[in-house]
Amino acid sequence: MPDGSNTPSRRSIVVSEFTNSVLDPDAPMLGPVENGGTIIANTAPGCWGPMITPSLRGGHEVTRPVYVDGAEVGDGVAIRIRDITVTSIATASGHDSSPEGFCLGDPYVAGRCPVCDTVWPETHVEGIGQQAVKCNTCGNAVTPFAIVHGYTVTFDETRSVGLTLPQAAAETIARDANHYSALPDQSRQHSILTFAPSDMPGTLVRMRPFMGQLGTCPSMAMPDSHNAGDFGSFLVGAPHEYAITAEQLAQHKTDGHMDIDAVRAGAILVCPVKVRGAGVYMGDMHAGQGDGEIAGHTMDVAGSVTLQIEVVKNYPLDGPVLFPLEEDLPPMARPFTAAEKAKGQRLASKWGVAAIEPLAPISVIGTAANLNLAIENGLARAAKLLGMTVAEVRNRATVNGAIEIGRAPGVIQVTFLAPLAKLDAVGLGDYAREQYGL
């Protein structure tokens, strides 16, 4: 363990504790959990709740990292997502703005009360609406963020659909916000339901829950929402105490904040290990989202998560790869059917091709300050992983895959059919076989 103790590893760990929105490799981890063990967590909503709670030092409220027995720097951890269940009855969200004067450089990281000039002020809730969060020191309404256009949505009992609500219903829910949001007992955030937005009532939405945050601890302290190449770029040269250089960002981040809607129950995510024990953490569960999270935020919810963790020795990448559910793959990246393979074999026989190479889907994550740079990052990572040139990856992603947007401004997936032998060479082939029945 990081503190030098020798605690026996456990087959399962139940997590109910949260960080102060900073992922710090020097902070004590929970666990250890054994290689192959299970992590079960009750997660708090991400984004809006922490965003209106300026004492928190990042845009989310994630679980305390868990130490994985046998995970060393330079390894990876394969995370099988066994279950994601939404426990919130309702949530609220919307497109944001950042009012002047309420932060020190970054409203996600360094909220500020402009009246008493306190950074990270402790606050409390008085009433409902967008002025309800008050500074404990001076009583001023502290609003690092405001909702420009937003909605309150409640979910059916089966957690299949949601419906946005009119003003009166949104205000009824706002008065009992912690109950309807199902905030975990140890969460410190104010519920965004307190704001009671109601700008598009009567809209039916599908629920398709996934984890916006899932990964391993970065190797230097950084705000949780900024553990990615796009949001992390806001830390470069920042005026607050979490400022870093571009070189430090590239070296230490693990890209745990992806907002990729395919990171859902049934998927397998492989993450880099940059600190001993990996430090697996999670949070920012979303009830559903289209590609890109183009409003900046979506339906953040509390929920329960079950993960199975396995160490992958000598993982060659500094970022994650994903084996999505087959239904989440782009059409061109899905495994070939028996009928397609038979037609291909007839072509091979006709033209003297000795063998058709076995292929398997893989999705390599790229992050950077903008989408163009994120694509370059994803292509370079895929080339490194598979021992190819970037030009070959471009070709394979064009004819047998796609570039998908995880989040604007700068998270993407390079998803394509890769030679199975190349995946075997880096210890990932069996995950593809497991996931796609190859």
Side-chain angles (χ1 to χ4, degrees):
M1 294 291 287
D3 61 3
S5 62
N6 189 22
T7 306
S9 61
R10 296 158 59 186
R11 289 185 297 276
S12 63
I13 301 289
V14 178
V15 181
S16 59
E17 300 176 45
F18 303 96
T19 68
N20 69 337
S21 299
V22 173
L23 291 163
D24 185 351
D26 294 325
M29 296 183 191
L30 300 176
V33 67
E34 70 178 18
N35 184 8
T38 299
I39 300 173
I40 302 167
N42 184 24
T43 66
C47 289
W48 271 108
M51 285 162 52
I52 64 167
T53 310
S55 62
L56 296 176
R57 302 188 177 201
H60 296 138
E61 191 177 27
V62 299
T63 56
R64 275 186 62 191
V66 174
Y67 189 101
V68 180
D69 197 23
E72 302 291 343
V73 175
D75 291 339
V77 288
I79 302 173
R80 293 178 175 90
I81 307 173
R82 298 302 192 192
D83 179 70
I84 298 175
T85 299
V86 174
T87 54
S88 293
I89 303 167
T91 190
S93 190
H95 185 54
D96 69 79
S97 68
S98 299
E100 285 286 329
F102 286 93
C103 71
L104 184 63
D106 186 337
Y108 290 96
V109 174
R112 168 182 174 269
C113 176
V115 173
C116 63
D117 202 29
T118 303
V119 181
W120 300 300
E122 293 293 333
T123 53
H124 62 279
V125 172
E126 294 180 12
I128 63 174
Q130 298 205 45
Q131 300 296 307
V133 177
K134 308 289 188 181
C135 177
N136 285 2
T137 301
C138 67
N140 181 61
V142 182
T143 56
F145 291 92
I147 295 179
V148 175
H149 181 278
Y151 52 90
T152 298
V153 58
T154 189
F155 309 118
D156 79 312
E157 290 298 330
T158 69
R159 297 302 190 268
S160 299
V161 298
L163 183 67
T164 60
L165 299 176
Q167 182 176 353
E171 290 179 353
T172 296
I173 285 176
R175 294 186 182 96
D176 199 3
N178 288 356
H179 166 71
Y180 283 98
S181 61
L183 280 185
D185 292 330
Q186 296 196 49
S187 171
R188 294 172 52 204
Q189 68 179 265
H190 304 311
S191 172
I192 190 56
L193 284 168
T194 301
F195 277 22
S198 58
D199 294 318
M200 56 179 206
T203 300
L204 191 65
V205 297
R206 293 185 177 91
M207 293 185 68
R208 194 169 175 271
F210 69 97
M211 301 308 296
Q213 283 260 21
L214 180 59
T216 51
C217 190
S219 47
M220 72 176 295
M222 64 177 60
D224 52 14
S225 58
H226 291 35
N227 182 24
D230 55 351
F231 272 59
S233 66
F234 303 155
L235 300 175
V236 176
H240 51 71
E241 68 181 62
Y242 298 103
I244 59 177
T245 66
E247 292 75 19
Q248 287 175 317
L249 176 64
Q251 177 184 349
H252 296 291
K253 69 181 175 65
T254 60
D255 288 335
H257 181 205
M258 294 179 289
D259 285 330
I260 290 173
D261 60 355
V263 182
R264 63 188 185 109
I268 302 173
L269 180 68
V270 184
C271 304
V273 174
K274 294 194 175 182
V275 298
R276 190 178 183 203
V280 174
Y281 74 94
M282 70 202 85
D284 193 28
M285 183 187 294
H286 295 170
Q289 172 199 298
D291 281 357
E293 198 179 20
I294 206 66
H297 311 285
T298 186
M299 297 174 288
D300 306 303
V301 288
S304 61
V305 186
T306 302
L307 310 173
Q308 187 176 15
I309 311 299
E310 184 173 272
V311 176
V312 178
K313 301 307 290 185
N314 302 313
Y315 178 68
L317 284 192
D318 66 340
V321 300
L322 179 66
F323 294 94
L325 294 174
E326 186 168 340
E327 65 194 78
D328 290 344
L329 293 167
M332 299 296 278
R334 291 173 185 167
F336 287 107
T337 66
E340 288 171 324
K341 290 178 181 178
K343 292 175 181 178
Q345 192 56 56
R346 288 195 291 272
L347 281 173
S349 299
K350 177 180 179 180
W351 292 97
V353 178
I356 298 175
E357 62 179 0
L359 301 171
I362 190 169
S363 189
V364 180
I365 312 305
T367 78
N370 60 58
L371 290 172
N372 284 339
L373 293 175
I375 291 170
E376 296 298 324
N377 177 245
L379 293 170
R381 281 177 169 173
K384 179 178 180 180
L385 178 71
L386 301 172
M388 299 176 176
T389 64
V390 170
E392 181 176 352
V393 174
R394 287 179 180 274
N395 280 334
R396 289 184 181 273
T398 298
V399 301
N400 273 341
I403 302 294
E404 303 169 274
I405 299 174
R407 175 184 64 241
V411 178
I412 62 92
Q413 299 166 256
V414 182
T415 307
F416 62 103
L417 291 170
L420 191 52
K422 297 278 192 180
L423 294 177
D424 284 333
V426 291
L428 299 180
D430 285 344
Y431 295 110
R433 291 182 179 92
E434 171 189 339
Q435 188 72 328
Y436 306 113
L438 302 174

